[in-house]
């Protein structure tokens, strides 16, 4: 089974030893990144395996390969030789592995490593995406015998990940390490076992250390949230697709539930650049279910073999699950939104309610439809006015811009205000889309954003005395509906209570180094 390797990138041996003792339970082995150590500290690497107490990889990564070593090859060879010198008959006191590149050719050092049981990891770091044929590369890299071959490639697209996955499938019976570096390859690090990789590299990101490479996950998160060490070839894979997909609550939600249930399933974040490429990968990886977020809710439609009534009616899908070898598409956005809003208001419908909807994007479209279905009368305001008009005309609603004229109209539609724009969203901007509006304090205000928990807009509403709700409750309700689609059962009350007790600002983001 694939192992977790903790990258140690401290400046001193002591820092590395301290970090290892804190995170030892989450890792199977460690990598001593000698290139990150201060020059004076590099003299003391020989004793590191003994201090570590778990198998250690000796690595001196060159700057051209994404590391920090800037000296010449002679100096590097000396460091490696120092690390492997005075081999102990008890192999626990020696480095278990040494990482050397495919262009490293020092037979005497390699021979010495083999003699004392230090296994060679023969590596290739493709930072610019120049390797086209990973299969050919994997076949030709090995210099001899029992080497583990390693390809770490910086990926910029889903196609790159698909290529590496395919190469791995065609290259079995050989220990290999395959890493897709960067945000678009983050799931290759979680689903390392599925990618046929001998190990995955991770860092103690919560300690503010330098990540060993771009896209690495926090070792504790990988081990506890994703239950990396329980993932086998049989584990069922689910996940969320989107782009850029940096702050979805779903991986935290689903994995927390799956963990409570001790289910043999994992839910991964899939940042995707091309939906067609990903759907090929999903088939080849035998993915069982997917949540779909921006911008793929419409472009996913051609891949569905079956559509629920709501998907047919609105032409957008946020949930995919497998049935008889086809993808069935459903949409939990609508039901999640309306049940959250009605619960917040303590009402059964929106009859007699005058409502302002801020925004006229994809989310607003769904909100407007639901407001109409629940009997509300609305005003839609948007920065780009024609989009507001286009949605409003369908339901005989009023429309306007986010300017003085539009905002003035709001005072007649202010029983409930629903904020659907991306203004104030983490990673978007910090603006308030209705800054010209003065709250009376009587409005019920719902902002669909949940990250951050309180946008500048929602804070202003709360400060004015309004009842407020952010999008967290809605997103949890949507996730519960998706869960029922994925697993054909409801989440138990006990587990839901547990999730709710963890709180809306405690969930783990899709953070990577
Ligand atoms: P979504 O699917 O999340 O609704 P979208 O379709 O891209 O995403 O829509 C984003 C919405 O947020 C739009 O209404 C957009 O206004 P425009 O149509 O004028 O682009 C709105 N929006 C984004 N940033 C905004 C800002 N800073 N102030 C006001 N509205 C903003």
């Amino acid at each position: 089974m694939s192992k977790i390797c903790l990258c140690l990138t401290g400046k001193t041996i002591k820092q590395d030893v301290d970090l290892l003792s804190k995170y030892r339970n989450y890792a199977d082995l460690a990598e001593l990144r000698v290139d990150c150590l201060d020059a004076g500290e590099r003299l003391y690497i020989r004793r590191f395996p003994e201090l570590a107490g778990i198998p250690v990889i000796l690595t001196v990564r060159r700057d051209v390969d994404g590391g920090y070593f800037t000296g010449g090859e002679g100096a590097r060879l000396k460091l490696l030789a120092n690390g492997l010198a005075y081999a102990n008959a008890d192999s626990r006191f020696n480095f278990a592995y040494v990482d050397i590149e495919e262009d490293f050719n020092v037979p005497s050092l390699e021979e010495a490593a083999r003699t004392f049981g230090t296994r060679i990891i023969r590596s290739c770091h493709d930072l610019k995406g120049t390797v086209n044929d990973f299969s050919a590369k994997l076949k030709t890299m090995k210099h001899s015998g029992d080497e583990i071959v390693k390809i770490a490639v910086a990926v910029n697209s889903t196609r790159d990940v698909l290529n590496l996955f395919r190469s791995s499938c065609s290259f079995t019976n050989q220990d290999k390490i395959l890493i897709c570096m960067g945000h678009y390859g983050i799931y290759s690090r979680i689903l390392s076992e599925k990618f046929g990789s001998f190990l995955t590299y991770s860092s103690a990101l919560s300690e503010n250390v330098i990540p060993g490479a771009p896209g690495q996950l926090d070792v504790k998160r990988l081990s506890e949230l994703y239950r990396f060490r329980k993932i086998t070839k049989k584990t069922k894979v689910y996940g969320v697709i989107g782009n850029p997909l940096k702050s979805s609550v779903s991986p935290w939600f689903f994995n927390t539930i799956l963990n409570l249930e001790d289910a043999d399933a994992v839910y991964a974040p899939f940042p995707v650049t091309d939906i067609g490429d990903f759907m090929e990968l999903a088939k080849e990886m035998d993915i069982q279910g997917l949540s779909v977020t921006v911008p793929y809710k419409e472009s996913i439609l051609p891949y569905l073999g079956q559509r629920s009534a709501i998907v047919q009616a609105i032409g957008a899908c946020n949930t995919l699950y497998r049935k008889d070898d086809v993808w069935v598409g459903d949409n939990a956005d609508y039901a999640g939104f309306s049940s959250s809003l009605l619960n917040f208001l303590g009402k059964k419908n929106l009859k007699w309610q005058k409502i302002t909807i801020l925004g006229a994007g994809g989310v607003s479209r769904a909100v407007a439809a639901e407001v109409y279905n629940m009997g509300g009368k609305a005003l839609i305001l948007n920065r780009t006015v024609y989009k507001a008009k286009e949605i409003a005309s369908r339901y005989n609603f009023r429309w306007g811009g986010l300017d003085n004229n539009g905002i003035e109209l709001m005072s007649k539609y202010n029983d409930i205000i629903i904020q659907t724009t991306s203004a104030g969203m983490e990673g978007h901007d910090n603006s308030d889309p209705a800054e010209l509006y003065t709250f009376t304090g009587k409005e019920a205000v719902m902002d669909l954003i949940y990250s951050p928990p309180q946008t500048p807009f929602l804070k202003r509403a709360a400060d004015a005395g309004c009842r407020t709700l952010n999008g967290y409750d809605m997103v949890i309700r949507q996730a519960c509906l998706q869960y029922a689609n994925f697993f054909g059962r409801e989440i138990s009350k006990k587990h839901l209570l547990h999730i709710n007790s963890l709180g809306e600002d405690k969930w783990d983001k899709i953070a990577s180094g």
Side-chain angles (χ1 to χ4, degrees):
M1 246 158 58
S2 194
K3 303 174 200 304
I4 301 187
C5 175
L6 173 62
C7 286
L8 299 170
T9 55
K11 290 186 168 184
T12 66
I13 297 275
K14 179 166 182 332
Q15 274 175 16
D16 284 342
V17 169
D18 288 349
L19 201 82
L20 188 53
S21 53
K22 197 162 165 190
Y23 292 94
R24 170 183 310 277
N25 290 345
Y26 307 113
D28 302 302
L29 66 162
E31 180 186 47
L32 179 67
R33 284 284 299 272
V34 179
D35 51 303
C36 298
L37 288 170
D38 287 340
E41 291 284 318
R42 293 175 181 171
L43 302 171
Y44 305 107
I45 59 175
R46 178 62 195 90
R47 275 199 61 218
F48 194 79
E50 187 182 343
L51 298 172
I54 59 173
V56 183
I57 304 173
L58 171 64
T59 301
V60 191
R61 181 80 60 240
R62 301 178 290 207
D63 54 351
V64 288
D65 292 322
Y68 297 92
F69 190 80
T70 50
E73 277 303 86
R76 204 164 74 99
L77 172 59
K78 239 170 134 178
L79 279 175
L80 288 166
N82 176 20
L84 300 176
Y86 311 111
N88 198 303
D90 184 341
S91 61
R92 287 173 305 163
F93 297 136
N94 303 330
F95 281 96
Y97 306 89
V98 58
D99 183 318
I100 48 183
E101 300 72 12
E102 52 174 344
D103 61 356
F104 185 93
N105 254 316
V106 182
S108 55
L109 185 129
E110 295 171 27
E111 204 43 51
R114 279 185 208 107
T115 307
F116 290 96
T118 300
R119 216 170 154 193
I120 292 171
I121 297 173
R122 185 70 63 180
S123 63
C124 159
H125 292 85
D126 182 12
L127 303 184
K128 297 200 175 108
T130 44
V131 179
N132 290 321
D133 189 344
F134 294 120
S135 301
K137 187 89 198 159
L138 283 166
K139 278 187 195 117
T140 53
M141 278 173 70
K142 211 162 61 158
H143 287 198
S144 68
D146 187 31
E147 293 182 5
I148 301 170
V149 288
K150 166 182 167 184
I151 292 186
V153 55
V155 297
N156 294 311
S157 72
T158 305
R159 175 57 53 174
D160 292 341
V161 184
L162 177 61
N163 286 343
L164 199 67
F165 180 77
R166 283 184 174 156
S167 305
S168 169
C169 294
S170 67
F171 194 64
T172 47
N173 300 326
Q174 158 70 52
D175 282 340
K176 53 193 178 293
I177 300 171
L178 300 174
I179 307 286
C180 296
M181 293 188 287
H183 181 59
Y184 291 106
I186 188 171
Y187 51 94
S188 75
R189 297 181 180 275
I190 298 167
L191 305 174
S192 177
E193 175 72 13
K194 303 278 180 183
F195 276 73
S197 185
F198 180 74
L199 60 78
T200 196
Y201 294 93
S202 62
S203 292
L205 294 181
S206 50
E207 301 285 333
N208 277 334
V209 297
I210 321 170
Q216 280 190 3
L217 281 109
D218 178 67
V219 67
K220 186 165 178 236
R221 221 164 152 256
L222 195 58
S223 176
E224 284 193 334
L225 182 67
Y226 291 103
R227 295 180 298 152
F228 181 92
R229 287 188 273 192
K230 285 199 167 174
I231 300 175
T232 66
K233 291 269 183 282
K234 286 192 183 151
T235 302
K236 296 214 176 335
V237 179
Y238 299 81
V240 50
I241 57 172
N243 197 8
L245 197 66
K246 288 203 168 153
S247 64
S248 167
V249 75
S250 307
W252 172 80
F253 173 85
F254 280 100
N255 287 310
T256 304
I257 296 283
L258 294 171
N259 198 352
L260 289 168
E261 295 176 340
D262 200 21
D264 189 13
V266 61
Y267 185 101
F270 294 114
V272 163
T273 61
D274 182 286
I275 190 68
D277 289 342
F278 184 78
M279 293 316 282
E280 283 183 48
L281 184 62
K283 189 162 182 228
E284 290 173 35
M285 276 182 66
D286 199 26
I287 291 174
Q288 300 294 310
L290 289 166
S291 311
V292 184
T293 184
V294 182
Y296 298 119
K297 291 187 187 184
E298 287 164 17
S299 51
I300 193 74
L301 296 179
Y303 300 92
L304 303 180
Q306 209 177 307
R307 301 173 186 200
S308 69
I310 182 122
V311 171
Q312 277 180 23
I314 60 176
C317 162
N318 88 329
T319 314
L320 255 72
Y321 58 99
R322 296 275 284 273
K323 195 170 138 199
D324 304 332
D325 247 20
V326 297
W327 286 113
V328 184
D330 201 351
N331 198 319
D333 281 344
Y334 291 72
F337 161 72
S338 35
S339 86
S340 179
L341 179 64
L342 292 179
N343 181 61
F344 167 57
L345 299 171
K347 292 187 185 301
K348 292 211 161 66
N349 58 52
L350 298 181
K351 276 187 190 137
W352 320 114
Q353 300 297 307
K354 295 287 212 74
I355 300 153
T356 295
I357 300 169
L358 298 171
V363 175
S364 165
R365 211 169 276 277
V367 166
E370 281 299 274
V371 165
Y372 176 79
N373 290 337
M374 291 188 281
K377 296 247 176 304
L379 159 73
I380 304 182
L381 299 182
N382 194 43
R383 193 171 56 178
T384 314
V385 183
Y386 80 88
K387 291 196 203 163
K389 179 179 174 188
E390 199 257 307
I391 301 177
S393 326
R394 295 176 180 210
Y395 308 108
N396 219 2
F397 289 168
R398 299 189 71 180
W399 72 84
L402 293 168
D403 48 18
N404 280 322
N405 291 340
I407 297 293
E408 221 176 285
L409 273 176
M410 263 180 94
S411 54
K412 296 201 179 99
Y413 286 83
N414 63 358
D415 295 325
I416 304 164
I417 301 176
I418 305 167
Q419 199 304 102
T420 76
T421 79
S422 351
M425 187 189 288
E426 191 171 308
H428 184 74
D429 65 25
N430 202 24
S431 65
D432 176 342
E435 57 189 359
L436 298 174
Y437 179 74
T438 308
F439 290 100
T440 65
K442 296 207 175 100
E443 302 89 339
V445 183
M446 179 179 191
D447 191 327
L448 302 199
I449 293 172
Y450 59 88
S451 177
Q454 200 177 41
T455 60
F457 167 79
L458 205 61
K459 177 167 188 327
R460 208 159 54 76
D463 289 348
C466 301
R467 281 199 304 137
T468 60
L469 177 72
N470 71 14
Y472 181 79
D473 175 69
M474 177 184 86
V475 92
I476 294 299
R477 285 168 191 266
Q478 289 168 349
C480 290
L481 294 167
Q482 292 188 325
Y483 176 97
N485 272 335
F486 292 160
F487 299 101
R489 59 177 187 260
E490 305 286 323
I491 299 173
S492 76
K493 282 226 163 67
K494 190 172 123 203
H495 291 161
L496 253 186
L497 276 174
H498 178 79
I499 280 273
N500 285 332
S501 74
L502 295 175
E504 63 182 34
D505 52 357
K506 301 255 174 10
W507 57 277
D508 244 331
K509 314 237 159 131
I510 304 173
S512 65

